[in-house]
Amino acid sequence: MKEFERITVKRMTKRFGDRDAVHDFSLEFFRGEFVTFLGPSGCGKSTALNCITGLIPITSGEIFIDDECIDDSRNKVPPEKREFGMVFQNYALFPHLTVYENVAFGLKLRRFPRAEVERKVGEALKLVHLEGYAAKYPTQMSGGEQQRVAIARCIVLEPRLLLLDEPLSNLDAKLRVELRYELKALHERLKVTTIYVTHDQTEALALSDRIVVLKSGRIQQVGSPVDIFSNPANLFVADFVGYKNAWRTTIDSLNETPEGLSARIRVQGSAIEARLPYPEGDPRRLGLVEAFKAGSPVRTAIRPEDIDVGSFPGMNALRCIADLVEYQGHASQVSASFGDSGGERVRVDLRATAPIREGETVEAAIDPGKILLFPEAPDEAAANDAGAAPGRKGRKPKGRVS
Amino acid sequence: MRGSARSGAFILLIPAIVFIVLLFVYPFAYGLYLSLTTADGAFSLGNYIRFFTDGRDLRTIWTTLSIAVPITFINVGLAVPFAYYMRRGVRGERIITFFLIVPITLGTVLVSEGMLSYMGPNGWLNQLLIALHLAKDPVRFTHNYLGVVISLGLQGFPYAFLMLLGYVSGISPDLEKASQMLGASRIQTFWKVLFPLMVPGIAISFCLNFVMAFSVFPSAVLLGQPSGPTRVIAIASYQWAFEKFNFNAASAISMIMAAIELLVISIVLVWRSRMYRGVSVVGKG
């Protein structure tokens, strides 16, 4: 394996027709790092991955391994010369070759001596716990086993960069978790620089050193799993990592301190106070101050599990009515609503460990430190008004303050 | 319970079995019987002995093979690269496919008639060749070996191509990507991944094309010289049956035809199984 310190992607753009599938993508990958591209389908994460491999030519931008430019959108090192390994969602094993021959494929192309090929393939199969499977054909194996072969086929070549394109998406839930653990253990052991593409936040949080959240081909946030999970950069990232309750409102008052902001808002008659840990210079802080001055709309973001059920009266108390209860074992997911009688009702998503019946009144409170506020982006105005659950008595609760 | 279910399933099979027996097994068995008897119904190998000792008839095997084998290789050999390049679809694919299917749907006779006038000594093709100074005198495309071969190409290539296109476009593009990511060039990817996966399709389209070409009759009569250079084995059989009214001799020739076709098909199938198993040997290259 050729040693290197970092792979640098500079202002990479991929245009399909008049649409940018990947737009102005800049990122550095450090040796040994596990980086995940996270985003919904169609966000450009797979395209970005394929652009880095060279399988898809880039429209503009550059890719470097240390100081060596491997792609400047006009000239590129072809994918087969980059020494990258790729694992596909559908495994992409060669069906006419045995497991042994699949794993040996790259070694034979590199003209390794026969004994060396045998030794390396044996080691790789052992690493993915598939000793004794060498003579089988891929079609005789389960999805999980096939994906292990695909992983072995890549790591046997000791690639400079390992790219995994939704490798667990075709597996059933139990296998997915098992193979996720194995991937993690494998990375701990081999320290191969890895880019992992997924739409599953659990996978991203569990595996990554850094997560890159993408939307419409644009990077939304780059950060550690903790960062992304508890300190999302905008409403999109917040929504993607499990924040709900995107209520639309305006800021009544705003206090600035060096560590953060404290804001008072009003949602359908209920006064809510939020303490936001946005330090000075944080773009979210600047955005909120601007939104306060202009009186323009902002959105809340609160995790359902951060709403305390049954601690009424407390700070930010809400009296809600449970509209829909989904029992999930250790807790129930409750879609409730609150608001003045006669006015429009606001939908609130919360989690309750105590049993709750539909139609029951739920008293809830929200810790001011668990509320995030984001200035509303122009394209979010329409998007988040949709998605309200059917309300009681035929009224539709809406995430809107009249 | 199980037994009754089985006999129920057997009842459903009966129409198909009757169909096969009446339309395939019986005529074949009757043909075999005819070929092994004289006109009086006595058992005899005479029909076969006569064929193999009659130089004029025996030569039809060579004549037919010399037409069928090259054109089958050409049809399948051309179909492989065409199917490969069109595997992800190309612009105008529908029009291309349409023009390929036309000769199949029109039938041999109409295509042969068309070729006779288009490729004849005063046809457009020869006029064009002379106008472009590519030829001094009209080139003979018809009433010879070449005419039969061209006609079989027009009819056989579309079959081979369409069949292989189905095979290649069914191969996941991710396999090519995976091969490339493992370090294989385009050419290596073709020979180590795509070609082995195409082998079953190549084998089947080769067999079908060969059988079609080996049993050629109308174009050999219309576009060839049925009395000499393109007197194929089917013509020999036809002449015994309908000119000399000796169905026993004609049946024997048909049986020989079938045997040769089966022989070639089994060679191809052996090749196929070797290729499909033996790919690792190629991989070690």
Side-chain angles (χ1 to χ4, degrees):
Chain A
M1 176 171 61
K2 279 187 222 161
E3 290 295 327
F4 69 98
E5 278 311 308
R6 71 189 66 185
I7 292 171
T8 314
V9 176
K10 279 189 188 158
R11 314 208 60 174
M12 178 174 79
T13 294
K14 175 63 196 178
R15 180 170 295 242
F16 288 121
D18 56 356
R19 199 180 63 88
D20 282 357
V22 175
H23 181 83
D24 205 10
F25 184 105
S26 296
L27 202 66
E28 279 194 312
F29 304 92
F30 299 96
R31 186 157 58 95
E33 210 182 6
F34 197 116
V35 179
T36 299
F37 294 174
L38 177 67
S41 55
C43 73
K45 56 192 191 298
S46 280
T47 310
L49 192 79
N50 278 282
C51 286
I52 293 170
T53 63
L55 288 169
I56 296 181
I58 59 178
T59 310
S60 63
E62 292 159 301
I63 304 170
F64 292 88
I65 298 178
D66 291 335
D67 295 326
E68 175 206 356
C69 179
I70 58 166
D71 202 337
D72 67 359
S73 80
R74 284 176 301 277
N75 302 304
K76 63 169 189 167
V77 176
E80 63 267 25
K81 299 254 168 70
R82 291 191 185 186
E83 295 178 52
F84 293 174
M86 187 154 171
V87 172
F88 299 80
Q89 183 175 349
N90 60 11
Y91 326 131
L93 295 178
F94 304 126
H96 58 295
L97 302 180
T98 61
V99 167
Y100 178 89
E101 290 161 342
N102 264 284
V103 179
F105 190 88
L107 295 171
K108 285 174 179 172
L109 285 170
R110 286 163 180 71
R111 301 185 185 286
F112 275 91
R114 197 193 164 101
E116 184 100 355
V117 172
E118 268 171 27
R119 187 180 59 77
K120 278 175 183 275
V121 172
E123 276 173 15
L125 287 178
K126 198 172 167 192
L127 214 52
V128 295
H129 309 296
L130 286 178
E131 306 104 314
Y133 282 72
K136 286 206 175 199
Y137 282 89
T139 45
Q140 299 168 319
M141 304 171 81
S142 73
E145 288 164 348
Q146 289 191 44
Q147 197 56 295
R148 282 170 213 223
V149 177
I151 292 165
R153 187 173 68 171
C154 283
I155 57 175
V156 77
L157 299 172
E158 298 173 23
R160 296 202 273 193
L161 183 62
L162 180 63
L163 306 115
L164 301 117
D165 193 354
E166 306 222 18
L168 308 181
S169 296
N170 279 13
L171 304 174
D172 62 53
K174 196 163 167 282
L175 260 178
R176 201 177 302 165
V177 176
E178 268 174 40
L179 205 52
R180 196 177 76 206
Y181 280 121
E182 272 189 45
L183 272 176
K184 177 109 184 163
L186 211 57
H187 183 257
E188 295 290 320
R189 187 160 162 194
L190 301 175
K191 286 285 172 212
V192 189
T193 317
T194 305
I195 306 178
Y196 186 96
V197 164
T198 183
H199 60 261
D200 183 323
Q201 54 137 329
T202 322
E203 281 173 24
L205 295 172
L207 291 168
S208 319
D209 296 319
R210 275 194 302 162
I211 296 175
V212 180
V213 184
L214 286 156
K215 176 198 178 189
S216 316
R218 289 163 167 79
I219 294 181
Q220 302 295 304
Q221 186 172 2
V222 182
S224 70
V226 174
D227 237 12
I228 301 279
F229 188 74
S230 50
N231 218 357
N234 58 36
L235 193 61
F236 175 82
V237 178
D239 181 56
F240 210 78
V241 296
Y243 283 84
K244 299 266 184 199
N245 301 314
W247 301 325
R248 187 174 194 250
T249 182
T250 48
I251 302 173
D252 291 341
S253 74
L254 194 73
N255 276 324
E256 292 197 56
T257 63
E259 306 83 52
L261 298 172
S262 113
R264 282 176 183 284
I265 54 171
R266 190 161 279 279
V267 180
Q268 187 61 22
S270 302
I272 292 174
E273 191 185 324
R275 280 198 291 275
L276 308 153
Y278 302 164
E280 277 180 86
D282 189 318
R284 294 172 296 181
R285 176 172 177 144
L286 302 174
L288 281 180
V289 171
E290 243 168 61
F292 173 60
K293 281 180 186 155
S296 55
V298 294
R299 293 275 190 172
T300 61
I302 308 156
R303 290 181 182 281
E305 55 270 33
D306 285 343
I307 299 180
D308 295 321
V309 176
S311 55
F312 195 88
M315 283 286 276
N316 299 332
L318 300 170
R319 176 169 273 125
C320 319
I321 294 169
D323 295 318
L324 214 65
V325 179
E326 201 179 68
Y327 179 65
Q328 293 178 339
H330 46 283
S332 293
Q333 186 74 32
V334 181
S335 172
S337 57
F338 68 93
D340 299 332
S341 53
E344 282 186 286
R345 297 183 70 81
V346 179
R347 175 175 156 176
V348 48
D349 285 302
L350 46 88
R351 281 176 82 75
T353 40
I356 288 179
R357 269 172 290 122
E358 285 173 11
E360 199 176 309
T361 300
V362 182
E363 293 172 334
I366 310 164
D367 179 343
K370 298 279 175 73
I371 302 172
L372 295 180
L373 275 184
F374 299 104
E376 186 176 80
D379 60 326
E380 281 160 3
N384 279 295
D385 270 353
R392 281 160 50 75
K393 293 169 192 148
R395 272 201 301 265
K396 278 195 174 178
K398 282 189 184 168
R400 175 182 290 272
V401 175
S402 40
Chain B
M1 189 65 201
R2 276 192 96 175
S4 72
R6 271 195 197 154
S7 65
F10 183 74
I11 288 170
L12 291 175
L13 268 176
I14 286 176
I17 291 170
V18 168
F19 188 81
I20 288 173
V21 166
L22 283 182
L23 290 174
F24 182 74
V25 178
Y26 171 73
F28 182 82
Y30 187 64
L32 189 64
Y33 161 78
L34 277 183
S35 73
L36 289 169
T37 51
T38 62
D40 315 329
F43 174 82
S44 150
L45 285 173
N47 294 315
Y48 291 95
I49 293 165
R50 192 210 50 73
F51 180 86
F52 286 108
T53 49
D54 179 343
R56 193 169 128 79
D57 273 359
L58 187 59
R59 206 178 307 126
T60 61
I61 294 181
W62 168 246
T63 306
T64 319
L65 282 176
S66 71
I67 291 171
V69 173
I71 193 57
T72 306
F73 270 105
I74 290 170
N75 283 343
V76 178
L78 278 179
V80 171
F82 272 90
Y84 172 74
Y85 282 109
M86 285 175 69
R87 69 196 184 285
R88 302 277 162 270
V90 292
R91 201 170 290 178
E93 190 176 336
R94 280 187 178 203
I95 294 172
I96 294 171
T97 315
F98 172 78
F99 279 110
L100 284 172
I101 290 176
V102 165
I104 304 178
T105 49
L106 290 181
T108 320
V109 176
L110 195 60
V111 170
S112 303
E113 291 293 340
M115 276 180 61
L116 279 178
S117 52
Y118 174 69
M119 292 182 173
N122 296 317
W124 290 2
L125 187 63
N126 267 315
Q127 288 185 24
L128 184 75
L129 289 178
I130 290 167
L132 291 174
H133 299 286
L134 289 170
K136 257 189 183 161
D137 302 307
V139 181
R140 278 192 65 107
F141 289 110
T142 54
H143 297 299
N144 58 6
Y145 174 83
L146 192 58
V148 183
V149 166
I150 292 173
S151 147
L152 287 173
L154 284 176
Q155 302 258 321
F157 172 74
Y159 272 116
F161 167 74
L162 291 174
M163 192 168 223
L164 284 178
L165 186 61
Y167 256 88
V168 196
S169 50
I171 299 171
S172 161
D174 281 346
L175 291 184
E176 279 177 70
K177 285 192 192 174
S179 161
Q180 225 180 330
M181 291 302 295
L182 292 167
S185 65
R186 246 168 231 284
I187 295 169
Q188 285 170 322
T189 298
F190 176 80
W191 285 111
K192 291 180 184 193
V193 179
L194 288 174
F195 186 76
L197 292 173
M198 284 169 80
V199 159
I202 292 172
I204 290 181
S205 75
F206 188 96
C207 289
L208 287 181
N209 244 279
F210 175 78
V211 168
M212 235 165 59
F214 193 78
S215 57
V216 59
F217 183 75
S219 29
V221 173
L222 293 167
L223 287 163
Q225 274 174 288
S227 56
T230 72
R231 186 171 183 266
V232 292
I233 191 162
I235 293 179
S237 175
Y238 169 84
Q239 285 174 340
W240 277 100
F242 300 106
E243 285 172 15
K244 299 177 185 167
F245 300 103
N246 184 341
F247 284 93
N248 305 81
S251 295
I253 297 176
S254 305
M255 289 297 146
I256 291 162
M257 243 175 110
I260 294 169
E261 285 172 359
L262 281 177
L263 183 73
V264 172
I265 288 173
S266 21
I267 292 170
V268 173
L269 292 183
V270 166
W271 170 77
R272 172 196 179 276
S273 61
R274 284 252 174 117
M275 275 307 288
Y276 211 70
R277 287 278 156 80
V279 164
S280 58
V281 181
V282 179
K284 272 169 194 153

